Amino acid sequence: MLSKNSFQAVTTMFRQVSGIQLSDAKQALVAGRLQKLAQARGMRDVDAYVDLLMREGDAQEMVKVVDKLTTNETYFFREPQHFDHLRRLLSERRASAAAGDFRVWSAASSSGEEAYSIAMVLGEHFGLKGWQVVGTDLSTAMVDTARRGLYPIERARLTPTPLLKRWCLKGQGDNLGKLMVAPELRQLVRFECANLTRTLPEIGQFDLVFLRNVLIYFDNPGKADIVKRVLTRLKPAGLLFTGHAESIANLGIPTVGVAPAVYRHA
């Protein structure tokens, strides 16, 4: 079991690092994930593990904790309406952009499925030149997973069959039941760590930014801070995609909705 004091200590540290406040309802989830880290250190008692973590202040161990607490399952082509909108947008755009000119940022890319879903759509439209996708995430473990591009095949359950056949390889042997994103697509998708509540890395400007299913973890001031920071990386005519369960309309930021959960600078 994880005591209330240990839970508060860990969630306070997590909030300071990530900006995310975990509610009391997450205590069981936190306990389960910390139990795995405690066992890896040869400890059975989660409270003892937390006490050691707080006393030692081990930066590498804290990174492991943050990685565990930010790990969320995702899948390819989640919220498919956005990908339909992306296809319509590309069909209206003349395919005459200079190499590397059309850029999309998956700002909370988790294990990479969103970024690769975007890449598949861009690959169908542009081929293998004229675009780039950048994926960022707070978790170093998620970034490492994204760079590998290897996933359980069930995460592709919403992927259109033609895209699955064109851009993914079916696992064999030890990788049976998995898929790997084709290397020619992976080379056009770049992943790195970024904390959306802090100064952003130098990743350039983007035509589109996908900021989906991350704002739900923040209060309104936290949401506004992130959205303002992210918008600095959006080109003047660019679009911001948020999760369909999220809204930025009440944050006092000059944007206008152009489709469900799609916004442009006002």
Side-chain angles (χ1 to χ4, degrees):
M1 291 292 293
L2 179 70
S3 71
K4 185 174 182 179
N5 286 342
S6 292
F7 175 74
Q8 290 177 341
V10 169
T11 54
T12 297
M13 180 275 290
F14 183 65
R15 185 183 69 248
Q16 291 170 345
V17 173
S18 68
I20 298 171
Q21 177 64 59
L22 296 174
S23 69
D24 291 346
K26 298 291 186 181
Q27 185 163 342
L29 179 146
V30 171
R33 294 186 177 179
L34 292 182
Q35 182 70 57
K36 294 177 181 178
L37 291 174
Q39 289 173 347
R41 291 288 294 264
M43 304 174 70
R44 293 185 178 182
D45 189 294
V46 181
D47 282 343
Y49 170 75
V50 172
D51 181 63
L52 180 68
L53 180 72
M54 295 301 147
R55 282 190 289 106
E56 290 187 347
D58 186 326
Q60 289 186 334
E61 196 67 24
M62 287 188 175
V63 167
K64 292 178 183 179
V65 171
V66 171
D67 283 345
K68 281 292 184 185
L69 297 184
T70 53
T71 300
N72 296 294
E73 182 182 0
T74 184
Y75 47 89
F76 292 89
F77 290 93
R78 184 179 182 182
E79 298 189 59
Q81 304 95 318
H82 276 158
F83 296 98
D84 292 337
H85 188 85
L86 175 58
R87 292 184 186 96
R88 289 193 297 271
L89 177 70
L90 294 174
S91 70
E92 297 167 1
R93 179 186 173 92
R94 293 177 61 189
S96 59
D101 186 57
F102 194 86
R103 304 184 75 236
V104 183
W105 178 20
S106 172
S109 59
S110 187
S111 45
E113 290 91 335
E114 177 182 85
Y116 287 127
S117 300
I118 296 166
M120 290 181 197
V121 176
L122 296 183
E124 291 300 290
H125 181 78
F126 290 115
L128 292 172
K129 61 181 180 179
W131 59 272
Q132 183 188 43
V133 177
V134 175
T136 60
D137 197 80
L138 174 67
S139 168
T140 57
M142 289 296 96
V143 169
D144 288 342
T145 297
R147 287 171 176 165
R148 286 193 295 271
L150 180 67
Y151 302 98
I153 201 163
E154 60 265 22
R155 294 194 190 175
R157 57 190 178 272
L158 295 184
T159 305
T161 299
L163 297 186
L164 194 60
K165 290 182 176 179
R166 173 67 181 87
W167 300 115
C168 298
L169 306 174
K170 190 174 182 179
Q172 304 291 333
D174 292 343
N175 289 324
L176 194 65
K178 297 180 181 180
L179 65 84
M180 175 167 278
V181 178
E184 62 268 27
L185 196 73
R186 292 206 314 271
Q187 70 181 358
L188 290 167
V189 185
R190 166 181 144 210
F191 293 98
E192 59 182 272
C193 288
N195 186 335
L196 298 177
T197 68
R198 308 283 174 84
T199 301
L200 296 172
E202 293 301 321
I203 52 177
Q205 299 294 112
F206 297 90
D207 297 271
L208 308 175
V209 176
F210 280 61
L211 180 69
R212 306 194 307 168
N213 304 306
V214 64
L215 297 177
I216 55 174
Y217 296 107
F218 298 88
D219 58 17
N220 279 353
K223 292 176 184 178
D225 178 65
I226 289 172
V227 172
K228 288 176 183 176
R229 186 174 292 107
V230 166
L231 286 176
T232 65
R233 299 306 174 94
L234 193 63
K235 294 179 183 179
L239 296 178
L240 174 70
F241 293 70
T242 66
H244 282 87
E246 300 167 317
S247 174
I248 64 172
N250 61 343
L251 300 182
I253 298 172
T255 58
V256 58
V258 299
V262 183
Y263 302 86
R264 176 174 287 143
H265 281 292

